[in-house]
Amino acid sequence: MEDSVNIKKNEEFVLRIKDMGAAEEGIGKYEGMTFFVKDALIGDLVRARVTKLKRTYGYARLMEILEPSPDRVDPPCAFHRQCGGCQLQALSYEKQLEFKQKKVENNLRRIGGFEQVPMEAIVGMEQPCRYRNKAQYPVGTDADGNIVAGFYAGRTHQIIPNRDCVLGLPVNRHVLDAVIEFMERNHISAYDEKTGRGLIRHVLIRCGFATKEIMVCLILNGRKLPRQEELVAELKKIEGMTSVSLNFNEKQTNVILGEETETIWGQGYITDDVRLPDGRKTLAYRISPQSFYQVNPVQMEKLYGLALDYAGLSGAETVWDLYCGIGTISLFLAQKAKQVYGVEIVPQAIEDARQNARLNGIENAEFFVGKAEEILPEFYEKEARAGRKAHADVIVVDPPRKGCDRRLLDTILAMAPDRIVYVSCDSATLARDLKVLCAGEYRLARVRVVDNFCQTVHCEVCSCLERGN
Ligand code: SAH
């Protein structure tokens, strides 16, 4: 089909970048064809060379920026082009926000079929750097045999050495220095993905922003860390160190964490406080290495505040919080509702959720381990067999990127809550799922984007569906 356009592989052409893709490339049109150009930003006029052609789109390599976008800024990180983690770092923060809001709106229109999107203004961050409370550094060996920790280059698995990511906290560097010095001193090897040999795979660091508690978890390709007490002695010197653990992962996969974790010093978890805007109550949460916890605590508080507002609770409601993690949203809901039920697939997270309810003296929240798409339908059917209709006034869902299973959406529709609050980190699957829900009796009442992942193309979306037209 290459002859359908006037351009061939390896040819160069000039185009203006108008958008950014889900896979983080700049997007522009040339002779009716859509081209994806890595490292090009919205607003750039570039010279590019065709690397791959399909029928209606193609890929091209950035050769030269002929006219930089007026919204380009000096990126705070020297590695940002190689690393690929912060696709938008060279774009002004204002434009980043504009881009994200537009992207969500477009997905809701295009995939969701919503003509009118009741979009509220995006919630940005005042200081959009050093916001991550969690870092997972891969450890490896460079060509000269030195142990390195850093980030994977682009979509490869080559490690770019960098112990101080600008999205993370400065303490990460101290932790990595201690781990690498310990490895060098004791001749402990780094894992090699190609051969499957070597011991240390990743260093996971988590920090409670409010409590300043730090957790370090080393992911091992093996069961034992020689001279671990020496490492613990070094890590303990870092202020705030609360938990040191080992996680065992001997599988040759890209999944970072294995199933088993052993605490070798301190507690098996850290605690963090979450305070909602408007001076609403602060809750304390305990977080285990395997549990999901929002990576941007500043924006997380804004997101949860919004979800709580959208839920519109008066105190009399029965609420389900599906994909509840450690019960973060559930426990805030519980303070304003009669009863909350949380469902989550990771058993450690549910253990955390139950502890968190106790820790905060909350007695009207109950948690279940399992898949949301199994637990809720099974509950619904059990009630039906007993001649009852499973009831919820409000259902909150906060699924991972792949969105909700159809079986779950059908059960939600059958339960017919007054409101559905859908929190999403992927607006394409959100749009797909909202279309299903709005084909029923629901209408999209409110939508707001929260920028929890500044400098990257990702964001969170909070939306509210109301029953009745
Ligand atoms: N609401 C929580 C967690 C959201 S992240 C918070 O804000 O902290 C999504 C969560 O869904 C993760 O904890 C993940 O472990 C869980 N999960 C993934 N697939 C699931 C499924 N099929 N059923 C239930 N939970 C699932």
Side-chain angles (χ1 to χ4, degrees):
M1 285 300 201
E2 288 194 13
D3 52 8
S4 65
V5 282
N6 287 326
I7 191 152
K8 296 200 171 53
K9 198 170 163 179
N10 290 326
E11 264 181 23
E12 292 192 2
F13 62 109
V14 171
L15 84 166
R16 176 79 68 183
I17 303 300
K18 292 276 167 80
D19 198 0
M20 304 285 290
E24 297 114 29
E25 311 94 331
I27 301 177
K29 282 212 183 246
Y30 182 77
E31 304 220 341
M33 287 264 287
T34 299
F35 277 96
F36 297 91
V37 189
K38 193 175 165 298
D39 295 324
L41 274 186
I42 301 177
D44 284 342
L45 183 72
V46 304
R47 182 163 60 81
R49 176 182 287 167
V50 181
T51 52
K52 205 171 184 179
L53 275 178
K54 298 278 188 190
R55 200 166 60 84
T56 56
Y57 65 95
Y59 295 88
R61 177 175 309 129
L62 175 64
M63 304 304 288
E64 190 188 350
I65 299 172
L66 300 171
E67 233 178 75
S69 160
D71 303 308
R72 270 190 181 269
V73 292
D74 271 343
C77 170
F79 304 101
H80 99 278
R81 261 185 85 159
Q82 292 154 283
C83 164
C86 292
Q87 311 84 11
L88 300 182
Q89 220 183 74
L91 193 64
S92 73
Y93 189 57
E94 210 185 348
K95 286 286 161 182
Q96 291 185 24
L97 293 177
E98 202 181 298
F99 159 74
K100 291 185 196 193
Q101 169 141 338
K102 248 195 232 155
K103 181 170 145 185
V104 173
E105 206 166 337
N106 282 342
N107 279 342
L108 288 171
R109 284 221 175 86
R110 199 169 45 84
I111 304 168
F114 295 97
E115 273 164 31
Q116 292 292 324
V117 180
M119 183 72 89
E120 296 163 26
I122 184 166
V123 183
M125 196 174 180
E126 269 153 42
Q127 299 287 339
C129 272
R130 301 272 183 213
Y131 61 79
R132 284 188 65 102
N133 57 16
K134 175 183 172 185
Q136 302 184 104
Y137 283 85
V139 182
T141 312
D142 71 9
D144 302 321
N146 303 310
I147 294 171
V148 291
F151 287 91
Y152 292 129
R155 267 166 276 158
T156 75
H157 271 212
Q158 184 205 333
I159 297 173
I160 309 277
N162 175 17
R163 299 185 198 177
D164 187 22
C165 164
V166 299
L167 298 193
L169 294 172
V171 72
N172 292 342
R173 168 186 281 276
H174 304 309
V175 171
L176 292 170
D177 287 350
V179 172
I180 289 176
E181 273 164 36
F182 161 78
M183 290 173 72
E184 285 167 346
R185 231 182 7 254
N186 293 292
H187 307 287
I188 292 171
S189 56
Y191 179 65
D192 179 348
E193 280 193 330
K194 289 200 194 81
T195 63
R197 290 220 282 269
L199 187 61
I200 298 191
R201 299 173 73 126
H202 272 86
V203 181
L204 164 70
I205 309 165
R206 253 180 177 164
C207 179
F209 268 42
T211 57
K212 309 279 181 238
E213 292 181 6
I214 299 169
M215 162 193 291
V216 175
C217 177
L218 260 51
I219 293 96
L220 304 187
N221 171 38
R223 306 282 314 176
K224 252 182 92 85
L225 179 64
R227 309 190 73 111
Q228 64 183 42
E229 62 294 340
E230 211 182 279
L231 176 67
V232 165
E234 285 306 313
L235 290 176
K236 264 161 57 179
K237 291 182 193 159
I238 297 172
E239 206 186 321
M241 193 58 61
T242 303
S243 166
V244 181
S245 58
L246 304 177
N247 173 276
F248 311 113
N249 182 4
E250 294 174 81
K251 292 194 186 135
Q252 242 177 309
T253 68
N254 285 343
V255 178
I256 296 178
L257 285 177
E259 278 167 22
E260 239 185 290
T261 306
E262 181 190 321
T263 306
I264 58 171
W265 181 78
Q267 309 166 353
Y269 55 88
I270 55 166
T271 310
D272 199 14
D273 296 334
V274 183
R275 177 187 33 115
L276 288 191
D278 327 328
R280 274 179 282 189
K281 201 178 161 186
T282 300
L283 292 182
Y285 291 103
R286 124 184 174 165
I287 313 150
S288 300
Q290 274 111 327
S291 299
F292 174 89
Y293 186 59
Q294 281 276 347
V295 297
N296 183 333
V298 175
Q299 296 299 93
M300 169 180 72
E301 292 180 346
K302 299 179 190 169
L303 179 67
Y304 292 166
L306 207 55
L308 200 54
D309 278 346
Y310 281 15
L313 301 175
S314 68
E317 294 84 357
T318 298
V319 184
W320 284 78
D321 179 21
L322 306 170
Y323 311 88
C324 69
I326 61 171
T328 30
I329 298 178
S330 326
L331 298 185
F332 277 102
L333 295 166
Q335 295 179 73
K336 298 258 173 158
K338 189 171 102 208
Q339 178 68 38
V340 175
Y341 300 106
V343 181
E344 158 68 42
I345 199 169
V346 174
Q348 288 89 346
I350 284 292
E351 232 169 80
D352 285 347
R354 290 183 181 136
Q355 284 289 349
N356 289 336
R358 244 167 268 152
L359 193 62
N360 294 288
I362 290 170
E363 288 173 353
N364 59 338
E366 196 179 332
F367 295 96
F368 304 97
V369 183
K371 292 184 178 166
E373 64 272 26
E374 287 173 4
I375 300 265
L376 198 68
E378 280 162 16
F379 171 75
Y380 183 83
E381 283 150 27
K382 200 175 114 214
E383 288 294 285
R385 280 196 299 277
R388 290 188 296 261
K389 185 173 178 294
H391 174 75
D393 297 292
V394 177
I395 295 181
V396 177
V397 298
D398 183 6
R401 280 190 204 163
K402 70 173 190 220
C404 297
D405 198 270
R406 182 62 199 243
R407 194 170 163 217
L408 173 63
L409 296 177
D410 289 341
T411 305
I412 293 175
L413 285 171
M415 286 173 76
D418 293 338
R419 279 177 300 288
I420 302 167
V421 177
Y422 195 135
V423 180
S424 162
C425 54
D426 184 320
S427 58
T429 57
L430 169 73
R432 178 200 69 197
D433 291 351
L434 292 187
K435 188 175 184 181
V436 173
L437 294 168
C438 290
E441 302 178 88
Y442 290 89
R443 77 182 173 87
L444 181 56
R446 299 177 75 178
V447 189
R448 194 159 190 185
V449 182
V450 182
D451 189 20
N452 287 38
F453 312 105
C454 318
Q455 318 296 343
T456 82
V457 291
H458 304 288
C459 57
E460 293 276 353
V461 187
C462 191
S463 60
C464 177
L465 303 180
E466 285 176 356
R467 195 156 55 87
N469 298 307

